[in-house]
């Protein structure tokens, strides 16, 4: 295991460590962007593999983001293995970024191997907010 992997107390095999909580974070992108990066995060390291199924959903505000018009629909899984970074991002292709247009990014169901925290968040086109950065740290995926 990586040296930064935390030591979990299993009380000599009599208990499991507290489960991590998975959450979807809000995200911002600028007009003219071709990708929005949406963060999915755990609140603590976990000895479990955590699988979070996520998807996009049309916005609900006055300036609604619509799949196929403003963004391309995404439905995927985010996998956190023990020792992985606590935040990963999902790339959502942007077709037409209109200022203040928003859409939702949410869990399809409760994450496997973790508790559910914030289950949905807005992804908004905003020229005043700093765009959400892509998470690029971490281990290479297993082949």
């Amino acid at each position: 295991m990586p040296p930064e992997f935390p030591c979990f107390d299993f009380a000599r095999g009599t208990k499991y460590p507290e489960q991590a909580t998975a959450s979807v974070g809000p995200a911002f992108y600028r007009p003219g962007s071709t990708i929005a990066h949406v963060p999915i995060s755990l609140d603590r390291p976990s000895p479990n593999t955590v699988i979070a199924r996520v998807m996009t959903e049309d916005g609900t505000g006055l300036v609604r983001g619509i799949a196929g018009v403003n963004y391309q629909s995404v439905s995927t899984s985010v996998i956190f293995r023990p020792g992985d970074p606590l935040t990963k991002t999902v790339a959502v292709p942007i077709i037409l970024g209109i200022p203040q247009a928003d859409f939702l990014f949410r869990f399809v169901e409760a994450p496997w191997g973790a508790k559910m925290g914030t289950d949905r968040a807005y992804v908004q086109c905003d020229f005043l907010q700093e765009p959400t950065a892509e998470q690029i740290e971490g281990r290479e995926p297993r082949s």
Side-chain angles (χ1 to χ4, degrees):
M1 288 185 211
E4 70 276 2
F5 190 73
C7 294
F8 292 100
D9 179 15
F10 290 96
R12 291 190 280 237
T14 61
K15 72 172 188 169
Y16 290 108
E18 183 70 24
Q19 275 191 323
T21 299
S23 295
V24 178
F28 297 95
Y29 64 97
R30 296 258 168 92
S33 297
T34 57
I35 298 284
H37 300 286
V38 183
I40 310 298
S41 53
L42 298 179
D43 68 338
R44 67 183 69 163
S46 175
N48 304 317
T49 294
V50 175
I51 301 171
R53 294 180 55 218
V54 293
M55 65 179 283
T56 52
E57 187 175 287
D58 286 351
T60 58
L62 292 174
V63 186
R64 297 175 359 133
I66 303 200
V69 175
N70 302 103
Y71 68 93
Q72 183 178 329
S73 292
V74 169
S75 179
T76 190
S77 295
V78 179
I79 300 171
F80 294 90
R81 295 177 291 145
D84 278 356
L86 297 180
T87 299
K88 295 189 176 190
T89 53
V90 176
V92 179
I94 300 300
I95 299 168
L96 177 62
I98 298 173
Q100 304 308 310
D102 61 28
F103 59 91
L104 290 165
F105 201 79
R106 68 179 185 85
F107 288 132
V108 173
E109 61 196 3
W112 302 348
K115 295 185 242 176
M116 185 180 322
T118 304
D119 69 335
R120 63 191 63 217
Y122 282 101
V123 180
Q124 187 174 57
C125 181
D126 193 327
F127 55 87
L128 297 176
Q129 293 284 344
E130 195 63 35
T132 305
E134 177 182 17
Q135 168 60 284
I136 56 174
E137 295 178 18
R139 299 187 294 185
E140 291 297 316
R142 291 184 181 164
S143 53

